[in-house]
Amino acid sequence: FGLLLAFRNPPTWRRPWDEIYEEHINQAKVAEELGYDTVWLTEHHFWEDGWCPALLPTAAAIAAKTTTIRIGTFVILLPLGKHPINVVEEATVVDIISKGRLDLGLGLGYRVQEFEGYGIPRSDRPALMDEGLEIIRKAWTEDMFSFQGKHFNLKNVHLEPQPIQQPHPPIWTAVMGRKSAKRAAKFGFHVAGTGGENLQQMYDEELIKNNRNPSEHKVSQLRLVSVAPTRDEAWANCQEHAHYMMDTYDKWLKEAADVKWFQDTMSVSKMPPPEKLREDPNLTFFEAPLMVGTPDDIIEEIERYQKSSRVTHLVMWMQLAGMPPKIAEKSMKLFAEEVMPHFSDNNDGNTRRIVA
């Protein structure tokens, strides 16, 4: 079980930035104390709420404040002006500082404004991603290597220092469709997903085509979660913030009109107003229902999800954009006390924990 932290500070709920960062970093420490397995960080650029644009420095700050919880990037947008050598060196340092607790998640990106802001053609995304992944893998698995591609020409590269985790920290790539599933399977990397239950099937099919065993590869899935003693309270806590987040994606997807997968699977333009969200039985965030309700409601949905898809890591968006941290932490605490134990052990002693 993991928590997603985005360090978002929307204009409606705007507060001093140093408070936002201090509170989110403290939430990682609270998550560790509550028994969560991973804290995941998410990246975007040039948006009104200041969505965290620099994940590895943030991961280092969290590593310095914690001792056991794993720290993952969900995901670094690799084609956005990031030289893969710089990424691999900074990730190595975070792995060292954290004493081997880093998970490196990497993604393609799609937002029009982000690529315009960096001056990078969106058409270059696939090549930049493929070359970057190959360079990162070589840097962590070969003592000395060179690389020649369309975007990068490297000679006699040797990485020093080496990461604590050998041969390297776990690598995850964002998958939202068949093309990205093929990429993840080709490299043999784990998958960072956005909730869709058909994602795992595509990924596993591609793993088998590449002579890889699906049981050796992990699938993380992002879900929006709000848990409270009653359903009404859970919805009241999250509805304004969930609505803002879904509206944000609606704007982005309309700009990125060529991203067909998103248009087909996450149409939020017809969603009801915040106070009516709970009344829509077909409401989804990306391809998955919002997990909002009592501990029993959440347990029931996780069990349904496990039966419908091979998910090994549940990435939970509890600290929603603009939500007061104390509200999010109440949800975190109730989930840890009432939901997580249900998936620790069943009556015959066999583990049922969702994390592999």
Side-chain angles (χ1 to χ4, degrees), residues 32 68-69 87 104 116 122 136 150 249 275 345:
E32 179 176 78
T68 59
I69 196 167
V87 172
L104 183 66
E116 289 178 346
R122 291 176 78 249
I136 289 171
K150 178 181 178 181
Y249 278 107
E275 66 276 8
D345 294 284

Side-chain angles (χ1 to χ4, degrees), residues 114-316:
E114 291 177 333
F115 284 87
E116 289 178 346
Y118 274 92
I120 298 171
R122 291 176 78 249
S123 59
D124 287 348
R125 292 179 301 153
L128 285 166
M129 184 72 173
D130 288 339
E131 290 185 21
L133 291 176
E134 184 64 31
I135 290 168
I136 289 171
R137 180 167 66 178
K138 284 179 174 291
W140 269 335
T141 59
E142 299 181 18
D143 183 63
M144 182 81 69
F145 78 94
S146 298
F147 179 87
Q148 175 110 30
K150 178 181 178 181
H151 298 282
F152 301 102
N153 184 13
L154 315 178
K155 294 182 180 180
N156 302 324
V157 176
H158 170 72
L159 181 67
E160 201 66 50
Q162 297 290 316
I164 299 293
Q165 298 178 90
Q166 287 294 316
H168 54 74
I171 300 176
W172 307 69
T173 57
V175 170
M176 300 180 188
R178 180 66 66 174
K179 289 183 180 179
S180 50
K182 287 182 178 180
R183 177 182 292 113
K186 180 186 76 171
F187 282 96
F189 296 154
H190 307 301
V191 158
T194 50
E197 294 171 30
N198 64 340
L199 176 153
Q200 167 260 314
Q201 287 86 349
M202 287 190 296
Y203 175 53
D204 286 357
E205 289 168 4
E206 297 300 330
L207 285 170
I208 292 169
K209 290 178 185 178
N210 284 270
N211 298 313
R212 301 184 189 278
N213 185 350
S215 67
E216 297 174 357
H217 297 79
K218 300 170 184 177
V219 177
S220 62
Q221 292 278 36
L222 175 63
R223 300 289 298 271
L224 189 151
V225 178
S226 176
V227 58
T230 68
R231 291 177 188 172
D232 283 345
E233 183 179 348
W235 277 110
N237 287 342
C238 77
Q239 61 193 20
E240 298 287 342
H241 310 284
H243 192 277
Y244 169 80
M245 291 164 61
M246 296 171 76
D247 183 63
T248 293
Y249 278 107
D250 187 47
K251 291 182 174 69
W252 292 358
L253 301 180
K254 287 174 180 175
E255 291 176 352
D258 61 330
V259 185
K260 182 83 164 51
W261 182 89
F262 273 125
Q263 291 175 319
D264 289 345
T265 60
M266 185 184 171
S267 176
V268 297
S269 58
K270 296 180 181 179
M271 65 182 176
E275 66 276 8
K276 299 289 186 180
L277 289 178
R278 70 189 76 182
E279 299 175 10
D280 186 349
N282 300 314
L283 185 68
T284 61
F285 188 59
F286 291 99
E287 291 185 286
L290 279 65
M291 294 173 61
V292 180
T294 67
D296 285 343
D297 292 331
I298 305 303
I299 289 170
E300 181 179 354
E301 171 57 17
I302 293 175
E303 290 183 331
R304 183 203 66 80
Y305 199 42
Q306 287 181 304
K307 292 175 183 176
S308 66
S309 182
R310 184 176 70 84
V311 53
T312 64
H313 290 60
L314 190 64
V315 182
M316 295 179 290

Side-chain angles (χ1 to χ4, degrees), residues 31-68:
E32 179 176 78
E33 293 167 353
L34 289 172
Y36 287 87
D37 299 282
T38 312
V39 57
W40 299 92
L41 307 176
T42 171
E43 168 185 342
H44 275 295
H45 303 265
F46 317 129
W47 184 239
E48 65 180 19
D49 65 18
W51 200 312
C52 186
L55 299 194
L56 289 171
T58 308
I62 290 173
K65 294 286 188 177
T66 57
T67 57
T68 59

